[in-house]
Amino acid sequence: MTASSKSLYAVAARPGPALAGPGGRPGRPAGSAEGIVSSLSSRAATPPLLAVRDVRIRHAPTGRELVRGVSFDLAPGRVVGIVGESGSGKTLTCRAALGILPRHLELSGGSIVLAGEDVTTFDEDRWTRERGSTLAAVFQDPASYLNPSLPVGSQVAEVLRVKTGLRRREARSRTLELFASVHLRDPDVVYGQYPFELSGGMLQRVLIAAAVSAGPRILVADEATTALDVTVQAEILDLLADLREGSGLSLVVVSHDLAVVAQLCDEVLVMRHGEVVEQGQTDRVLHRPEHEYTRLLLAEHDQFGLDRVLEGRAS
Ligand SMILES: Nc1ncnc2c1ncn2[C@@H]1O[C@H](COP(=O)(O)OP(=O)(O)O)[C@@H](O)[C@H]1O
Ligand SMILES: [Mg+2]
């Protein structure tokens, strides 16, 4: 399996040669970098779960830098949004934090500290343990992460078996609970259905269930609602907000759509051409954008209901 292959495991578990055993959640010793990170953090009292510091990503064969200097802190229970046009470096930033950079791309500068540990020290086995357990992700196009010829329930149950060591029967009942928690109606029915029998919104709920199945602390949602129609998109955003409220999950929400991140995020990064052009508290960025490009994004949303979001957030 290559780093960029698509499978349900890529989202939630990615079993490798050395899987975490039952309850194999790794310890999280405070690394030496933690002191530096928290002194930089605006919330020094709560060390960030994820500290991305001046990250640069390079295409090794050409030396071209695709991402240049992205920094943010993700504290427990907080939501950071990354917004910007297609090709601005949002996905690569996330992939770096998930340890799934595509072939030929490398972290060429800066640091990523996950729960106190510098991820550049992680080997593939370590990443395999962390993905699903500490951080997980959902992407656009959920169907492509599922095997079309297996019922979705058994695919999620398999992730649970691999990731948490549950036995078959327990994995099934836990999957049904997860399906209920992501507001899939009739979990029993959905369990036995094949991907083609489910709508895009239902498939994304299945993928979210798989992603949170092993209790990660961080969920990266990269364009997770982009392919969905507006009503379903709103439902999925509500679900993400529920997960944050209910289990204190921290989120990284990526979208080219400012209205999407506006609904959920405490802080927003606006990216363009591999750089962060503006970054700050969501309310400040939305109400008093400082960069021309942010103003442009806001203007594009005039017709799409961002005004309502802005009013909702106005204090
Ligand atoms: N595997 C790859 N090889 C070479 N260039 C890539 C690869 N993946 C992405 N890029 C380039 O990196 C830039 C940022 O891509 P990406 O992070 O996917 O953008 P976004 O998610 O904001 O649309 C783009 O110019 C894209 O073409
Ligand atoms: Mg992308």
PDB file of all heavy atoms in Angstrom, residues 59 64 66-67 84-93 95 102-105 222-223 254 271 274, ligand 1:
ATOM      1  N   HIS A  59       8.475  19.837  -3.566  1.00  0.00           N
ATOM      2  CA  HIS A  59       8.479  18.770  -4.565  1.00  0.00           C
ATOM      3  C   HIS A  59       9.938  18.444  -4.822  1.00  0.00           C
ATOM      4  O   HIS A  59      10.663  19.213  -5.464  1.00  0.00           O
ATOM      5  CB  HIS A  59       7.784  19.270  -5.839  1.00  0.00           C
ATOM      6  CG  HIS A  59       7.682  18.235  -6.908  1.00  0.00           C
ATOM      7  ND1 HIS A  59       8.280  18.376  -8.144  1.00  0.00           N
ATOM      8  CD2 HIS A  59       7.061  17.029  -6.926  1.00  0.00           C
ATOM      9  CE1 HIS A  59       8.021  17.307  -8.881  1.00  0.00           C
ATOM     10  NE2 HIS A  59       7.271  16.485  -8.167  1.00  0.00           N
ATOM     11  N   ARG A  64      10.734  22.648  -6.186  1.00  0.00           N
ATOM     12  CA  ARG A  64       9.699  23.674  -6.085  1.00  0.00           C
ATOM     13  C   ARG A  64       9.010  23.602  -4.719  1.00  0.00           C
ATOM     14  O   ARG A  64       8.617  22.524  -4.278  1.00  0.00           O
ATOM     15  CB  ARG A  64       8.673  23.442  -7.198  1.00  0.00           C
ATOM     16  CG  ARG A  64       7.785  24.610  -7.450  1.00  0.00           C
ATOM     17  CD  ARG A  64       6.939  24.416  -8.703  1.00  0.00           C
ATOM     18  NE  ARG A  64       5.668  25.075  -8.478  1.00  0.00           N
ATOM     19  CZ  ARG A  64       4.468  24.517  -8.629  1.00  0.00           C
ATOM     20  NH1 ARG A  64       4.381  23.281  -9.062  1.00  0.00           N
ATOM     21  NH2 ARG A  64       3.386  25.196  -8.370  1.00  0.00           N
ATOM     22  N   LEU A  66       5.881  24.040  -2.600  1.00  0.00           N
ATOM     23  CA  LEU A  66       4.441  24.103  -2.846  1.00  0.00           C
ATOM     24  C   LEU A  66       3.701  24.729  -1.670  1.00  0.00           C
ATOM     25  O   LEU A  66       2.644  25.314  -1.839  1.00  0.00           O
ATOM     26  CB  LEU A  66       3.907  22.694  -3.103  1.00  0.00           C
ATOM     27  CG  LEU A  66       4.541  21.977  -4.299  1.00  0.00           C
ATOM     28  CD1 LEU A  66       4.172  20.502  -4.311  1.00  0.00           C
ATOM     29  CD2 LEU A  66       4.125  22.647  -5.607  1.00  0.00           C
ATOM     30  N   VAL A  67       4.253  24.570  -0.481  1.00  0.00           N
ATOM     31  CA  VAL A  67       3.687  25.197   0.718  1.00  0.00           C
ATOM     32  C   VAL A  67       4.824  25.935   1.410  1.00  0.00           C
ATOM     33  O   VAL A  67       5.909  25.389   1.595  1.00  0.00           O
ATOM     34  CB  VAL A  67       3.060  24.129   1.649  1.00  0.00           C
ATOM     35  CG1 VAL A  67       2.689  24.734   2.994  1.00  0.00           C
ATOM     36  CG2 VAL A  67       1.835  23.495   0.997  1.00  0.00           C
ATOM     37  N   GLY A  84      -9.175  28.681   1.007  1.00  0.00           N
ATOM     38  CA  GLY A  84      -8.377  29.222  -0.088  1.00  0.00           C
ATOM     39  C   GLY A  84      -8.704  28.509  -1.380  1.00  0.00           C
ATOM     40  O   GLY A  84      -9.287  27.418  -1.365  1.00  0.00           O
ATOM     41  N   GLU A  85      -8.300  29.120  -2.480  1.00  0.00           N
ATOM     42  CA  GLU A  85      -8.657  28.566  -3.787  1.00  0.00           C
ATOM     43  C   GLU A  85      -7.972  27.215  -4.012  1.00  0.00           C
ATOM     44  O   GLU A  85      -7.033  26.862  -3.296  1.00  0.00           O
ATOM     45  CB  GLU A  85      -8.261  29.549  -4.889  1.00  0.00           C
ATOM     46  CG  GLU A  85      -6.755  29.717  -5.006  1.00  0.00           C
ATOM     47  CD  GLU A  85      -6.356  31.000  -5.729  1.00  0.00           C
ATOM     48  OE1 GLU A  85      -7.212  31.847  -5.977  1.00  0.00           O
ATOM     49  OE2 GLU A  85      -5.159  31.128  -6.028  1.00  0.00           O
ATOM     50  N   SER A  86      -8.450  26.520  -5.022  1.00  0.00           N
ATOM     51  CA  SER A  86      -7.880  25.235  -5.370  1.00  0.00           C
ATOM     52  C   SER A  86      -6.391  25.387  -5.697  1.00  0.00           C
ATOM     53  O   SER A  86      -5.995  26.337  -6.360  1.00  0.00           O
ATOM     54  CB  SER A  86      -8.652  24.697  -6.576  1.00  0.00           C
ATOM     55  OG  SER A  86      -8.084  23.505  -7.008  1.00  0.00           O
ATOM     56  N   GLY A  87      -5.594  24.476  -5.177  1.00  0.00           N
ATOM     57  CA  GLY A  87      -4.158  24.513  -5.443  1.00  0.00           C
ATOM     58  C   GLY A  87      -3.368  25.409  -4.501  1.00  0.00           C
ATOM     59  O   GLY A  87      -2.169  25.622  -4.683  1.00  0.00           O
ATOM     60  N   SER A  88      -4.023  25.908  -3.448  1.00  0.00           N
ATOM     61  CA  SER A  88      -3.333  26.849  -2.564  1.00  0.00           C
ATOM     62  C   SER A  88      -2.481  26.148  -1.496  1.00  0.00           C
ATOM     63  O   SER A  88      -1.746  26.803  -0.766  1.00  0.00           O
ATOM     64  CB  SER A  88      -4.341  27.801  -1.914  1.00  0.00           C
ATOM     65  OG  SER A  88      -5.337  27.094  -1.219  1.00  0.00           O
ATOM     66  N   GLY A  89      -2.611  24.825  -1.382  1.00  0.00           N
ATOM     67  CA  GLY A  89      -1.752  24.092  -0.441  1.00  0.00           C
ATOM     68  C   GLY A  89      -2.479  23.593   0.793  1.00  0.00           C
ATOM     69  O   GLY A  89      -1.849  23.109   1.738  1.00  0.00           O
ATOM     70  N   LYS A  90      -3.810  23.637   0.792  1.00  0.00           N
ATOM     71  CA  LYS A  90      -4.593  23.217   1.949  1.00  0.00           C
ATOM     72  C   LYS A  90      -4.419  21.720   2.210  1.00  0.00           C
ATOM     73  O   LYS A  90      -4.136  21.295   3.328  1.00  0.00           O
ATOM     74  CB  LYS A  90      -6.085  23.536   1.719  1.00  0.00           C
ATOM     75  CG  LYS A  90      -6.363  24.989   1.362  1.00  0.00           C
ATOM     76  CD  LYS A  90      -7.852  25.262   1.174  1.00  0.00           C
ATOM     77  CE  LYS A  90      -8.531  24.496   0.059  1.00  0.00           C
ATOM     78  NZ  LYS A  90      -8.046  24.845  -1.300  1.00  0.00           N
ATOM     79  N   THR A  91      -4.624  20.934   1.152  1.00  0.00           N
ATOM     80  CA  THR A  91      -4.552  19.480   1.319  1.00  0.00           C
ATOM     81  C   THR A  91      -3.146  19.029   1.686  1.00  0.00           C
ATOM     82  O   THR A  91      -2.962  18.183   2.566  1.00  0.00           O
ATOM     83  CB  THR A  91      -5.040  18.778   0.030  1.00  0.00           C
ATOM     84  OG1 THR A  91      -6.432  19.028  -0.116  1.00  0.00           O
ATOM     85  CG2 THR A  91      -4.803  17.275   0.091  1.00  0.00           C
ATOM     86  N   LEU A  92      -2.140  19.598   1.045  1.00  0.00           N
ATOM     87  CA  LEU A  92      -0.775  19.185   1.366  1.00  0.00           C
ATOM     88  C   LEU A  92      -0.447  19.486   2.822  1.00  0.00           C
ATOM     89  O   LEU A  92       0.218  18.688   3.494  1.00  0.00           O
ATOM     90  CB  LEU A  92       0.236  19.859   0.432  1.00  0.00           C
ATOM     91  CG  LEU A  92       0.222  19.383  -1.024  1.00  0.00           C
ATOM     92  CD1 LEU A  92       1.327  20.081  -1.819  1.00  0.00           C
ATOM     93  CD2 LEU A  92       0.382  17.866  -1.114  1.00  0.00           C
ATOM     94  N   THR A  93      -0.909  20.616   3.315  1.00  0.00           N
ATOM     95  CA  THR A  93      -0.685  20.952   4.720  1.00  0.00           C
ATOM     96  C   THR A  93      -1.281  19.870   5.619  1.00  0.00           C
ATOM     97  O   THR A  93      -0.630  19.385   6.557  1.00  0.00           O
ATOM     98  CB  THR A  93      -1.299  22.324   5.045  1.00  0.00           C
ATOM     99  OG1 THR A  93      -0.691  23.305   4.193  1.00  0.00           O
ATOM    100  CG2 THR A  93      -1.100  22.706   6.496  1.00  0.00           C
ATOM    101  N   ARG A  95      -2.048  16.768   4.737  1.00  0.00           N
ATOM    102  CA  ARG A  95      -1.380  15.480   4.524  1.00  0.00           C
ATOM    103  C   ARG A  95      -0.071  15.415   5.285  1.00  0.00           C
ATOM    104  O   ARG A  95       0.323  14.355   5.769  1.00  0.00           O
ATOM    105  CB  ARG A  95      -1.183  15.223   3.040  1.00  0.00           C
ATOM    106  CG  ARG A  95      -2.508  15.014   2.309  1.00  0.00           C
ATOM    107  CD  ARG A  95      -2.281  14.642   0.865  1.00  0.00           C
ATOM    108  NE  ARG A  95      -1.938  13.236   0.757  1.00  0.00           N
ATOM    109  CZ  ARG A  95      -2.700  12.303   0.186  1.00  0.00           C
ATOM    110  NH1 ARG A  95      -3.837  12.639  -0.359  1.00  0.00           N
ATOM    111  NH2 ARG A  95      -2.315  11.054   0.150  1.00  0.00           N
ATOM    112  N   PRO A 102       2.156  12.866  -0.510  1.00  0.00           N
ATOM    113  CA  PRO A 102       2.339  12.045  -1.716  1.00  0.00           C
ATOM    114  C   PRO A 102       3.824  11.826  -2.005  1.00  0.00           C
ATOM    115  O   PRO A 102       4.677  12.571  -1.521  1.00  0.00           O
ATOM    116  CB  PRO A 102       1.711  12.904  -2.827  1.00  0.00           C
ATOM    117  CG  PRO A 102       0.836  13.880  -2.142  1.00  0.00           C
ATOM    118  CD  PRO A 102       1.442  14.114  -0.796  1.00  0.00           C
ATOM    119  N   ARG A 103       4.087  10.801  -2.806  1.00  0.00           N
ATOM    120  CA  ARG A 103       5.456  10.508  -3.205  1.00  0.00           C
ATOM    121  C   ARG A 103       6.119  11.745  -3.792  1.00  0.00           C
ATOM    122  O   ARG A 103       5.459  12.537  -4.466  1.00  0.00           O
ATOM    123  CB  ARG A 103       5.438   9.432  -4.288  1.00  0.00           C
ATOM    124  CG  ARG A 103       6.029   8.107  -3.837  1.00  0.00           C
ATOM    125  CD  ARG A 103       5.491   7.011  -4.726  1.00  0.00           C
ATOM    126  NE  ARG A 103       6.110   7.071  -6.051  1.00  0.00           N
ATOM    127  CZ  ARG A 103       7.249   6.440  -6.350  1.00  0.00           C
ATOM    128  NH1 ARG A 103       7.871   5.724  -5.444  1.00  0.00           N
ATOM    129  NH2 ARG A 103       7.744   6.509  -7.562  1.00  0.00           N
ATOM    130  N   HIS A 104       7.373  11.876  -3.562  1.00  0.00           N
ATOM    131  CA  HIS A 104       8.193  12.976  -4.082  1.00  0.00           C
ATOM    132  C   HIS A 104       7.995  14.297  -3.351  1.00  0.00           C
ATOM    133  O   HIS A 104       8.657  15.272  -3.658  1.00  0.00           O
ATOM    134  CB  HIS A 104       7.988  13.217  -5.592  1.00  0.00           C
ATOM    135  CG  HIS A 104       8.249  12.005  -6.421  1.00  0.00           C
ATOM    136  ND1 HIS A 104       9.401  11.260  -6.283  1.00  0.00           N
ATOM    137  CD2 HIS A 104       7.505  11.392  -7.377  1.00  0.00           C
ATOM    138  CE1 HIS A 104       9.350  10.244  -7.139  1.00  0.00           C
ATOM    139  NE2 HIS A 104       8.207  10.293  -7.802  1.00  0.00           N
ATOM    140  N   LEU A 105       7.035  14.337  -2.437  1.00  0.00           N
ATOM    141  CA  LEU A 105       6.847  15.574  -1.680  1.00  0.00           C
ATOM    142  C   LEU A 105       7.422  15.379  -0.280  1.00  0.00           C
ATOM    143  O   LEU A 105       7.259  14.325   0.323  1.00  0.00           O
ATOM    144  CB  LEU A 105       5.376  15.964  -1.603  1.00  0.00           C
ATOM    145  CG  LEU A 105       4.675  16.203  -2.931  1.00  0.00           C
ATOM    146  CD1 LEU A 105       3.333  16.882  -2.698  1.00  0.00           C
ATOM    147  CD2 LEU A 105       5.503  17.029  -3.894  1.00  0.00           C
ATOM    148  N   ASP A 222     -11.128  17.389   5.144  1.00  0.00           N
ATOM    149  CA  ASP A 222     -10.605  18.101   3.979  1.00  0.00           C
ATOM    150  C   ASP A 222     -11.641  18.090   2.861  1.00  0.00           C
ATOM    151  O   ASP A 222     -11.827  17.073   2.203  1.00  0.00           O
ATOM    152  CB  ASP A 222      -9.298  17.432   3.529  1.00  0.00           C
ATOM    153  CG  ASP A 222      -8.647  18.172   2.352  1.00  0.00           C
ATOM    154  OD1 ASP A 222      -9.212  19.159   1.857  1.00  0.00           O
ATOM    155  OD2 ASP A 222      -7.553  17.731   1.937  1.00  0.00           O
ATOM    156  N   GLU A 223     -12.306  19.203   2.649  1.00  0.00           N
ATOM    157  CA  GLU A 223     -13.366  19.322   1.630  1.00  0.00           C
ATOM    158  C   GLU A 223     -14.426  18.226   1.818  1.00  0.00           C
ATOM    159  O   GLU A 223     -14.988  17.728   0.848  1.00  0.00           O
ATOM    160  CB  GLU A 223     -12.793  19.252   0.208  1.00  0.00           C
ATOM    161  CG  GLU A 223     -11.703  20.258  -0.105  1.00  0.00           C
ATOM    162  CD  GLU A 223     -12.216  21.639  -0.530  1.00  0.00           C
ATOM    163  OE1 GLU A 223     -13.451  21.876  -0.432  1.00  0.00           O
ATOM    164  OE2 GLU A 223     -11.389  22.480  -0.924  1.00  0.00           O
ATOM    165  N   VAL A 254     -11.106  22.001   6.269  1.00  0.00           N
ATOM    166  CA  VAL A 254     -10.546  22.582   5.050  1.00  0.00           C
ATOM    167  C   VAL A 254     -11.637  22.752   4.021  1.00  0.00           C
ATOM    168  O   VAL A 254     -12.428  21.839   3.802  1.00  0.00           O
ATOM    169  CB  VAL A 254      -9.470  21.647   4.456  1.00  0.00           C
ATOM    170  CG1 VAL A 254      -8.984  22.173   3.114  1.00  0.00           C
ATOM    171  CG2 VAL A 254      -8.322  21.477   5.432  1.00  0.00           C
ATOM    172  N   MET A 271      -5.381  30.753   2.687  1.00  0.00           N
ATOM    173  CA  MET A 271      -4.181  30.402   1.906  1.00  0.00           C
ATOM    174  C   MET A 271      -4.336  30.766   0.441  1.00  0.00           C
ATOM    175  O   MET A 271      -5.430  30.726  -0.123  1.00  0.00           O
ATOM    176  CB  MET A 271      -3.881  28.896   2.017  1.00  0.00           C
ATOM    177  CG  MET A 271      -3.397  28.480   3.394  1.00  0.00           C
ATOM    178  SD  MET A 271      -2.784  26.776   3.410  1.00  0.00           S
ATOM    179  CE  MET A 271      -1.253  26.945   2.480  1.00  0.00           C
ATOM    180  N   GLY A 274       0.185  28.587  -1.864  1.00  0.00           N
ATOM    181  CA  GLY A 274       1.116  27.956  -0.925  1.00  0.00           C
ATOM    182  C   GLY A 274       1.467  28.792   0.288  1.00  0.00           C
ATOM    183  O   GLY A 274       2.267  28.358   1.122  1.00  0.00           O
TER     184      GLY A 274
HETATM  185  N1  LIG B   1       1.714  14.792  -5.717  1.00  0.00           N
HETATM  186  C1  LIG B   1       1.989  16.023  -6.144  1.00  0.00           C
HETATM  187  N2  LIG B   1       3.053  16.257  -6.954  1.00  0.00           N
HETATM  188  C2  LIG B   1       3.329  17.505  -7.389  1.00  0.00           C
HETATM  189  N3  LIG B   1       2.623  18.597  -7.073  1.00  0.00           N
HETATM  190  C3  LIG B   1       1.553  18.440  -6.275  1.00  0.00           C
HETATM  191  C4  LIG B   1       1.179  17.144  -5.766  1.00  0.00           C
HETATM  192  N4  LIG B   1       0.080  17.300  -5.000  1.00  0.00           N
HETATM  193  C5  LIG B   1      -0.223  18.617  -5.030  1.00  0.00           C
HETATM  194  N5  LIG B   1       0.654  19.301  -5.797  1.00  0.00           N
HETATM  195  C6  LIG B   1       0.649  20.745  -6.054  1.00  0.00           C
HETATM  196  O1  LIG B   1       0.757  21.418  -4.807  1.00  0.00           O
HETATM  197  C7  LIG B   1      -0.068  22.568  -4.805  1.00  0.00           C
HETATM  198  C8  LIG B   1      -1.001  22.523  -3.604  1.00  0.00           C
HETATM  199  O2  LIG B   1      -1.868  21.409  -3.751  1.00  0.00           O
HETATM  200  P1  LIG B   1      -3.021  21.084  -2.712  1.00  0.00           P
HETATM  201  O3  LIG B   1      -2.487  21.135  -1.338  1.00  0.00           O
HETATM  202  O4  LIG B   1      -3.654  19.802  -3.152  1.00  0.00           O
HETATM  203  O5  LIG B   1      -4.038  22.289  -2.938  1.00  0.00           O
HETATM  204  P2  LIG B   1      -5.503  22.532  -2.343  1.00  0.00           P
HETATM  205  O6  LIG B   1      -5.843  21.418  -1.433  1.00  0.00           O
HETATM  206  O7  LIG B   1      -5.440  23.863  -1.663  1.00  0.00           O
HETATM  207  O8  LIG B   1      -6.414  22.572  -3.538  1.00  0.00           O
HETATM  208  C9  LIG B   1      -0.783  22.607  -6.144  1.00  0.00           C
HETATM  209  O9  LIG B   1      -0.085  23.489  -6.981  1.00  0.00           O
HETATM  210  C10 LIG B   1      -0.685  21.197  -6.628  1.00  0.00           C
HETATM  211  O10 LIG B   1      -0.646  21.152  -8.031  1.00  0.00           O
END
